[in-house]
């Protein structure tokens, strides 16, 4: 058995940067943690979302589009200042499986640079648009690849009650929830999502804190229950 398969926090992996200004995150080995992730932004509702997350003392992870960040620099800076995590969602949402290795690398490099220009560090993990993956994408991405296990389908139905219902029913300890902060209905529903999941005593943490230090470059993850899913070339 590979050491990685031992579901342990004892194993060393690449360290994810911690925000020194924030209090220690909850210990996800002792309490039930979930990661809310917001894709396709930043956008016009992001600042209000940051207010809501702050009011609930909830941390989240934002999978940003490189093409959007210059227009919302203040929001991107605030994400980091507020203790949230930033991931890459590509430059402008191309299906990476339609691109060559060079094109994928150029797309992600361009995105990294735009984000790094604002926050002085690169995105920690990569979420490919549509969750679309093939061997070329897996081999071209030099960081952990983060999918999700709870899809609220918010982009499809634009219905706050449904978002809350799906989140409440499908979330379990270690879940990664997919949401989109570019939709007003989603941001409107976030207080109820937080309140519903808080009733089940979930703590809201970043991807880095949910997975501790167990993330490996090029490996695909959907939740923190299956710390090992696919290797490049599988
Ligand atoms: Ni997306």
């Amino acid at each position: 058995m590979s050491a990685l398969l031992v579901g342990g926090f004892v194993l060393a992996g690449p360290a994810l940067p911690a925000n020194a200004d924030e209090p220690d995150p909850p210990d996800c080995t002792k309490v039930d943690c979930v990661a809310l992730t917001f894709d396709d932004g930043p956008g016009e509702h992001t600042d209000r979302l940051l207010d809501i997350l702050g009011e609930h003392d909830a941390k989240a992870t934002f999978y940003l589009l490189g093409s959007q960040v210059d227009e919302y620099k203040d929001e991107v800076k605030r994400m980091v200042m507020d203790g949230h995590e930033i991931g890459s969602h590509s430059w402008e949402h191309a299906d990476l499986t339609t691109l060559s290795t060079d094109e994928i690398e150029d797309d992600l490099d361009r995105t990294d640079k735009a984000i790094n220009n604002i926050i002085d560090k690169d995105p920690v993990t990569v979420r490919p648009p549509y969750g679309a993956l093939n061997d070329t994408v897996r081999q071209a991405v030099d960081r952990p690849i983060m999918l999700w296990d709870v899809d609220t389908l918010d982009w499809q139905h634009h219905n706050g009650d449904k978002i809350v219902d799906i989140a409440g029913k499908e979330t379990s300890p270690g879940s990664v929830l997919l949401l989109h902060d570019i939709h007003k209905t989603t941001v409107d529903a976030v207080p109820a999502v937080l309140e519903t999941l808080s009733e089940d005593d979930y703590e809201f943490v970043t991807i880095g804190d949910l997975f501790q230090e167990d993330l490996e470059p090029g490996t695909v993850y959907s939740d923190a229950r299956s710390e090992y899913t696919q290797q490049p070339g599988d």
Side-chain angles (χ1 to χ4, degrees):
M1 174 185 277
S2 151
L4 256 182
L5 290 168
V6 182
F9 302 107
V10 292
L11 300 170
L16 295 165
N19 188 327
D21 299 331
E22 287 289 321
D24 286 344
D27 180 350
C28 296
T29 65
K30 299 203 170 91
V31 296
D32 290 341
C33 294
V34 292
L36 302 185
T37 64
F38 294 92
D39 288 16
D40 299 359
E44 59 181 313
H45 308 294
T46 304
D47 200 49
R48 185 162 62 91
L49 171 60
L50 290 167
D51 289 342
I52 293 167
L53 293 171
E55 284 158 18
H56 289 78
D57 199 23
K59 304 302 180 203
T61 301
F62 290 86
Y63 285 96
L64 303 182
L65 294 177
S67 58
Q68 289 285 105
V69 298
D70 273 357
E71 196 179 332
Y72 295 98
K73 280 196 178 95
D74 290 344
E75 285 82 349
V76 176
K77 283 182 196 157
R78 185 177 169 198
M79 287 170 190
V80 174
M81 284 188 323
D82 288 1
H84 305 297
E85 187 174 299
I86 289 179
S88 169
H89 199 41
S90 82
W91 180 254
E92 53 187 355
H93 219 268
D95 178 344
L96 300 182
T97 64
T98 66
L99 306 183
S100 68
T101 298
D102 283 351
E103 288 169 336
I104 296 166
E105 288 173 356
D106 287 349
D107 183 293
L108 296 179
D109 280 352
R110 190 179 179 195
T111 304
D112 287 351
K113 286 197 179 93
I115 291 171
N116 199 310
N117 269 343
I118 300 172
I119 63 166
D120 248 355
K121 59 184 178 187
D122 287 344
V124 180
T125 60
V126 174
R127 173 170 286 164
Y130 315 103
L133 283 171
N134 60 14
D135 284 351
T136 308
V137 176
R138 284 202 290 263
Q139 284 162 14
V141 176
D142 59 357
R143 276 158 288 173
I145 299 170
M146 188 57 56
L147 301 182
W148 56 86
D149 66 313
V150 178
D151 188 348
T152 63
L153 299 171
D154 59 335
W155 59 276
Q156 203 174 59
H157 53 61
H158 296 276
N159 180 319
D161 291 340
K162 272 192 188 166
I163 295 170
V164 177
D165 190 49
I166 292 170
K169 282 184 178 147
E170 296 188 9
T171 299
S172 57
S175 279
V176 176
L177 284 79
L178 173 62
L179 297 142
H180 298 80
D181 54 316
I182 53 167
H183 301 303
K184 179 177 182 297
T185 42
T186 299
V187 175
D188 289 346
V190 169
V193 169
L194 294 168
E195 282 150 26
T196 299
L197 295 178
S198 292
E199 283 168 16
D200 290 330
D201 292 328
Y202 284 113
E203 299 281 346
F204 304 97
V205 300
T206 62
I207 288 291
D209 288 333
L210 186 70
F211 286 82
Q212 309 285 318
E213 293 179 353
D214 279 349
L215 292 168
E216 294 287 332
T219 300
V220 182
Y221 301 86
S222 60
D223 59 73
R225 291 182 300 280
S226 54
E227 73 277 351
Y228 182 98
T229 50
Q230 293 172 355
Q231 286 276 26
D234 280 0

